[in-house]
């Protein structure tokens, strides 16, 4: 059964550095998402992406964040200048418009 | 803002006992609700959605619009049901709003 994959599984970075989190959605899906979960808190929506553009974003998704679909398979989340409070588990998801299928997540630690 | 509340962070029951995980929501329109489950070291996966009205792994959930609830139930818990359970509501076209999650432990 096809699955969403994410790399890396863990990332440690210094405050102020740029990070790129990568996702490979399920191949016939057209909608892509990023969520995050700070330790001990809820899973929070960051952004949805459809037809090569952002369709919705949350107030968390400020100018420090960007998403891209650089080719036919990858979907990336870039954080330009990481802050301590960006430390979280980041989940990618994809869908055909119905059920969202989640990746295993990338644990990001900002020091 | 739309909200999903799962009042129990932790729930522990014995194998064979009934299970009910509570979920309440606030939503101004016609809600679309889901239960996701995350087993140890695995990804979030859909357990069931209210519009399909099906039973998965013995779990059912009924949408009660009067009580704004979508509680998850299973009549006889099994050890393999131990996991983190998240109630979620679809807001707008795509965004999912999650509850805090309930960690369910089934004791032998």
């Amino acid at each position: 059964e096809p699955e969403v994959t994410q790399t890396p599984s863990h990332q440690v970075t210094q405050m102020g550095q740029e990070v790129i989190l990568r996702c490979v959605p399920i191949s016939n899906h057209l909608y892509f998402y990023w969520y995050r979960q700070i330790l001990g808190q809820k899973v929070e929506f960051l952004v949805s992406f459809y037809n090569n553009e952002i369709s919705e974003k949350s107030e968390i998704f400020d100018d420090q964040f960007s998403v891209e679909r650089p080719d036919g398979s990858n979907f990336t989340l870039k954080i330009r200048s990481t802050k301590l409070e960006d430390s979280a588990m980041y989940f990618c998801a994809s869908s055909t418009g119905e059920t969202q299928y989640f990746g295993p997540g990338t644990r990001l630690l900002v020091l | 803002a739309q909200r999903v509340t799962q009042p129990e962070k932790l729930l522990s029951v014995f194998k064979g006992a009934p299970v009910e995980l509570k979920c309440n929501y606030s939503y101004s329109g016609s809600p679309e609700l889901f239960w996701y489950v995350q087993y140890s070291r695995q990804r979030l996966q859909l357990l069931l959605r209210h519009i399909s009205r099906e039973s998965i792994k013995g779990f059912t959930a009924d949408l009660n619009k009067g009580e704004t609830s979508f509680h998850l139930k299973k009549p006889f818990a099994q050890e393999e049901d131990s996991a983190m359970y998240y109630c979620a509501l679809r807001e707008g076209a795509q965004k999912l709003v999650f509850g805090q999650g309930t960690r369910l432990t089934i004791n032998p």
Side-chain angles (χ1 to χ4, degrees):
Chain A
E1 189 176 322
E3 290 184 326
V4 176
T5 59
Q6 289 185 243
T7 53
S9 57
H10 295 78
Q11 173 109 35
V12 181
T13 190
Q14 296 290 324
M15 191 169 58
Q17 295 295 303
E18 175 184 284
V19 294
I20 297 177
L21 309 184
R22 291 184 166 78
C23 169
V24 178
I26 294 172
S27 63
N28 64 332
H29 287 186
L30 301 176
Y31 297 83
F32 315 115
Y33 316 85
W34 284 100
Y35 292 82
R36 79 170 185 192
Q37 186 176 30
I38 295 170
L39 190 64
Q41 297 186 25
K42 297 184 180 188
V43 176
E44 302 174 287
F45 170 81
L46 292 177
V47 65
S48 59
F49 191 87
Y50 172 72
N51 201 26
N52 281 318
E53 60 183 27
I54 291 173
S55 48
E56 190 173 355
K57 61 182 181 179
S58 72
E59 57 194 28
I60 302 168
F61 194 88
D62 61 21
D63 292 343
Q64 291 299 312
F65 291 88
S66 62
V67 289
E68 196 178 29
R69 188 150 161 83
D71 52 42
S73 58
N74 289 284
F75 179 53
T76 61
L77 174 70
K78 183 194 287 188
I79 310 175
R80 269 181 259 285
S81 178
T82 49
K83 306 185 190 80
L84 296 177
E85 54 265 35
D86 294 327
S87 295
M89 192 76 157
Y90 288 81
F91 295 104
C92 174
S94 70
S95 79
T96 57
E98 296 292 327
T99 301
Q100 293 185 24
Y101 293 85
F102 283 78
T106 294
R107 185 170 296 283
L108 176 66
L109 178 60
V110 182
L111 301 176
Chain B
Q2 320 307 342
R3 288 178 61 184
V4 177
T5 304
Q6 293 179 249
E8 302 138 330
K9 278 194 170 178
L10 302 169
L11 183 63
S12 183
V13 301
F14 285 101
K15 179 181 166 183
V19 174
E20 183 179 51
L21 292 95
K22 292 185 168 53
C23 173
N24 289 91
Y25 66 90
S26 64
Y27 189 64
S28 54
S30 217
E32 190 175 351
L33 285 145
F34 306 82
W35 277 99
Y36 277 82
V37 61
Q38 189 172 30
Y39 300 103
S40 180
R41 301 180 194 277
Q42 294 187 30
R43 66 189 67 208
L44 272 167
Q45 53 187 279
L46 180 70
L47 182 61
L48 51 80
R49 49 195 299 205
H50 90 270
I51 61 171
S52 58
R53 302 183 67 83
E54 56 191 342
S55 172
I56 304 290
K57 300 185 180 185
F59 285 97
T60 58
D62 290 317
L63 179 62
N64 185 323
K65 290 187 180 180
E67 295 182 359
T68 59
S69 69
F70 187 56
H71 302 329
L72 183 69
K73 298 177 185 178
K74 183 169 182 175
F76 307 104
Q78 298 169 287
E79 288 184 64
E80 55 264 35
D81 296 329
S82 293
M84 195 76 181
Y85 290 81
Y86 295 94
C87 183
L89 175 152
R90 198 209 301 274
E91 180 181 300
Q94 292 296 325
K95 172 183 175 181
L96 287 177
V97 177
F98 284 86
Q100 188 86 8
T102 298
R103 183 171 297 284
L104 177 64
T105 302
I106 308 300
N107 300 306

